[in-house]
Structures are given as C-alpha cells and as structure tokens.
Amino acid sequence: MEKLNLQFNAGEALAASKMNQIVGAINEAADEINALAFENKTDTIYLDFSKTSPIEIIRGDVNGDVIKWIRNNSHRYLVKKTAEGKVTMCQLSDGDSNVFAGDGSTAALDGTMGDVMVHVPTFYFRAQQLALNKWEIVFSLIDLGEEWNKYDGNQLLGAYEAYVDSSKVYSRSGVASTGNVSQANFKTYARDRGAGYTLTTWEQHCVMAVLFYAQFGITDSQHVIGSGTGSYEKETGQTDSLGMEDTRAETNGNTMAINFWGLENWWGNKYEFIDNVVVNPQSANGVWRITDRDGNARDVQGATEETANWYYPKSMRIGTHLDMIPNVLGGSTLSSLCDGFYYSPSTSRVVLRSGDYARADGGCACVSANFDASFAFVPAGARLSFAGEIHIEVDVDAFKAL
C-alpha cells in the first residue's frame, strides 16, 4: 500500500508539473496574441519644454494601449544564472512578490533562490524633435522602419538597490543596500558575476523615465509616487508585498521605500551609479559620452556651467536614443522637469541617478555628474543589471530545482 501511495503521489506531482507547463504555454500564447492585437497600434506623446507646469509639458496618448501593454507585461522575477551570459527566471506574483505567480507557493527573496529582478518586454520607439524644445515620442510593439529604435527585452534590472557580498553585486531582499563603494569598484563587482552583468545602464535610466512620463503624463515623479525614504539606510524589501503596484505620494510620503514599475527605491534612499556614461570626458565642455552595449560610443552635447552646483533642467535633449540629457537650465523642484542636475566643470565625471534620502531634487530624471570613478561616499550605491540570453521557466518546481 505504501508503494502504491508513493506511485500515486509521484503521478500527482507529474500531472501538476505538466499542468504548470500547459498553463504557462497558454499564457505565453495569449501574450503573443495580445501583442498581435496591437500590430498596427502606436501611442504618441509630446513633450513641450517651453511650458513650465509639470502637468502641461506632456500631451498625447498618455497611458495609451501600447503603454498599458508594456506595463502589464512587465513583471518581477526570481533569476538564476545557468551559464555564462544565460539566466533562467520564474515570475513572481504581480500582487505580492513573496509568492510565485505560477502556483502561489512561497518565494524566497533573500538570495537563496536567485536575484529579484524586473523584466520590461521588447518594444520600439521613435523620438524626433518637432521644434525648439518640443519632442515627439512614438511607441510601438513592432518594428516600423529604419527610424525606429528597439528597447531589447533581453535585459533585466535589479528590483532593489545593490547589495555587495564577497565582492559581487546582488539584488536581494532583507539586507542593507551597499554604499560607500566607488563606481569603478561597483562595475568590477557586477562584472564578477559573469558575462552580461553590469550596473544600471544609461539606456535603462532614460527609458524608465520616459515610461513614467508616458504612463502618468506629468514630469513630477515625486508628486505621484512619493519622495522615497528619509534615510539612505533602509533595508531592502519594503515593497515586497506590493509586487508591481506603484506607491502613491499621498500615502507613502517619505517614510518608506517608493515602488515604481516594480523597482524599489528607483529614486530616493541612495544615489545609484550608472555604468556607461561619462560627462566632460576630455574637457569641461558639457559633453556626455555614452558607450552603448555594442561597445560604440557616442557624444551628446548637454548644458554647461562655470560653477559646480545643483541646477534644475527646463528642457532635455532627448535625441533618437531617448537620452534624457539636460540642455537648458533654470527650472525648480516644482517646475519644468522638477528633478535636480548636479553639474561640475571638471573632467571625467561619472553619473549618479535617483537622488538620496527623500530630498526634493530627486526623481526619475535626477542625475549628478560631480565625481570621478574612484570617489565613494556612504549614500551612493548602485543597482544590478543583466543583458543576455533569458529563459522563462513556468514550472515553479523545476525552477526551484535549478
């Protein structure tokens, strides 16, 4: 009888595993059909930086069908490295990251089951300047021609600020995020995880800022989501039970971590070093040198000032790559972009994003170009990124067994 019970239980487990695979396949097919429904659909937003009111700058298809599709198909995942340049990930519940989406079983977010990371699906965009300080950005789920650029979905962003353990960068819940490490060392610690691992890229910083504008139609991200924590020492994981749900300023204030698009403390708490951009690479001329993932470097002219200080952009030079580079200054915490920009005329300044504590100069477009790659200070951290081959495992037990 005991043998029969074991065989029956094994059969049940096999059936459950097969059912998970079938449900996963159905969900993937549904996503593909859903995407095909938008084949000829585009969303267009317009940014008019001649206006200074944060609620008047953005017009067009705010939170349109394409933006909603991108948002609804973005999720938090547990991610395991399976080979060099390859990872396997399993989706967490959008309503509560403490459980898996597939079967509702408990998910360990402390590193024992992998890194907690956010995946944004592939989409296409076309950005062009219409007039002085006026830009048009169009979003699509398919490639519509040579003028279009691709946000490649084969990349991930850490859901939390970086945690360094044994000189390697991780994205874990329940730990104090790491600060007082230089950009140069953070980059080394990320790359020591293996092929494909870096810190947050300039592209990811800019894309997430533009997605915020496209979803909410306002340039004051702190006013909508919240300012972040009034300390740089908050333990990661405060938003675990929220999953993909955004926080709100009226309830969040500055007492807890903010959550935007599944990214905890995407601004506030700590500054975060960006991996692949340098300001004033050769001389104090306001040039931003961006090295893309393919290794190609491009120079973009930004604003210049003779004095190192905090400034507030009135407009951005967006360009075809969605570069959010300040080019006209003179705004404030309550007008224009609302986010701060620290400019230094010194050469070879690396870039920090986000802003620390819950200060009013922080936000989705906040950047600081004040320090070189060797400088470290306590409220400056980073965030893990990965680009490479990604496999989605829908069978939770199979993922756990990896």
Side-chain angles (χ1 to χ4, degrees):
M1 181 62 69
E2 183 179 356
K3 182 176 182 181
L4 287 175
N5 284 338
L6 288 173
Q7 289 176 339
F8 180 75
N9 291 338
E12 278 189 327
L14 180 60
S17 176
K18 290 293 185 183
M19 183 57 68
N20 281 340
Q21 293 178 21
I22 292 171
V23 170
I26 292 172
N27 288 338
E28 287 184 2
D31 287 344
E32 291 180 6
I33 293 170
N34 194 10
L36 288 174
F38 294 94
E39 184 174 356
N40 297 314
K41 175 70 176 177
T42 59
D43 282 350
T44 304
I45 63 169
Y46 302 91
L47 286 80
D48 184 354
F49 294 123
S50 67
K51 301 183 183 300
T52 57
S53 170
I55 61 173
E56 294 180 354
I57 292 172
I58 302 168
R59 288 291 182 266
D61 300 322
V62 172
N63 203 27
D65 290 339
V66 174
I67 297 301
K68 287 179 180 176
W69 189 93
I70 297 169
R71 176 62 198 249
N72 291 338
N73 287 276
S74 299
H75 308 288
R76 280 180 175 176
Y77 290 84
L78 271 169
V79 182
K80 296 182 180 182
K81 176 182 174 182
T82 51
E84 283 301 311
K86 298 180 182 181
V87 298
T88 295
M89 63 186 193
C90 193
Q91 185 182 332
L92 300 170
S93 170
D94 286 344
D96 184 355
S97 297
N98 291 294
V99 298
F100 285 99
D103 62 5
S105 64
T106 300
L109 310 180
D110 60 359
T112 56
M113 288 187 180
D115 295 286
V116 184
M117 306 190 82
V118 174
H119 177 253
V120 178
T122 296
F123 65 91
Y124 299 85
F125 59 88
R126 184 191 67 203
Q128 57 183 346
Q129 189 169 14
L130 302 179
L132 181 63
N133 294 324
K134 295 182 180 180
W135 296 84
E136 174 193 78
I137 304 174
V138 190
F139 301 88
S140 171
L141 299 181
I142 62 172
D143 189 350
L144 296 176
E146 293 182 0
E147 296 179 351
W148 290 74
N149 283 316
K150 177 182 180 180
Y151 178 82
D152 192 342
N154 292 304
Q155 55 184 307
L156 302 165
L157 260 175
Y160 315 114
E161 293 168 324
Y163 172 69
V164 174
D165 184 22
S166 301
S167 298
K168 292 183 179 179
V169 174
Y170 297 91
S171 181
R172 295 176 177 173
S173 176
V175 293
S177 61
T178 299
N180 205 28
V181 173
S182 69
Q183 192 239 26
N185 284 338
F186 264 128
K187 288 175 66 173
T188 298
Y189 299 161
R191 283 157 176 75
D192 283 348
R193 289 289 307 275
Y197 287 95
T198 65
L199 306 180
T200 301
T201 65
W202 174 248
E203 177 196 37
Q204 291 170 327
H205 164 74
C206 295
V207 163
M208 295 313 300
V210 171
L211 286 177
F212 173 86
Y213 300 148
Q215 180 181 358
F216 291 104
I218 185 173
T219 55
D220 190 347
S221 55
Q222 291 183 321
H223 178 78
V224 177
I225 302 294
S227 299
T229 51
S231 166
Y232 59 82
E233 298 176 319
K234 295 290 185 181
E235 190 175 83
T236 61
Q238 286 196 342
T239 66
D240 286 351
S241 61
L242 294 178
M244 293 296 293
E245 180 184 352
D246 295 332
T247 49
R248 287 292 185 264
E250 58 268 24
T251 55
N252 181 53
N254 65 354
T255 60
M256 65 170 284
I258 63 106
N259 201 39
F260 167 62
W261 213 288
L263 299 166
E264 180 177 288
N265 280 328
W266 187 238
W267 58 86
N269 200 52
K270 277 186 173 70
Y271 288 105
E272 298 177 12
F273 283 112
I274 295 177
D275 195 282
N276 59 328
V277 59
V278 177
V279 180
N280 305 333
Q282 296 175 329
S283 60
N285 56 7
V287 167
W288 294 57
R289 178 160 295 168
I290 303 147
T291 304
D292 294 322
R293 287 195 187 272
D294 59 10
N296 291 325
R298 50 193 176 85
D299 289 350
V300 182
Q301 181 64 54
T304 62
E305 290 289 334
E306 294 182 0
T307 303
N309 208 340
W310 275 106
Y311 300 91
Y312 290 86
K314 290 183 68 174
S315 73
M316 293 284 188
R317 188 183 304 279
I318 296 175
T320 59
H321 294 269
L322 295 187
D323 294 321
M324 294 293 292
I325 293 178
N327 69 328
V328 178
L329 308 178
S332 72
T333 59
L334 298 175
S335 67
S336 298
L337 274 297
C338 299
D339 297 344
F341 163 49
Y342 197 101
Y343 179 78
S344 169
S346 301
T347 59
S348 299
R349 303 293 93 181
V350 296
V351 178
L352 291 142
R353 59 166 310 280
S354 166
D356 61 350
Y357 298 88
R359 298 191 328 185
D361 51 36
C364 66
C366 171
V367 287
S368 171
N370 189 30
F371 306 110
D372 64 23
S374 65
F375 187 83
F377 63 115
V378 174
R383 189 175 298 254
L384 186 65
S385 174
F386 173 82
E389 186 176 327
I390 297 173
H391 171 68
I392 299 177
E393 178 58 71
V394 297
D395 187 323
V396 176
D397 288 336
F399 176 80
K400 291 178 179 178
L402 285 176

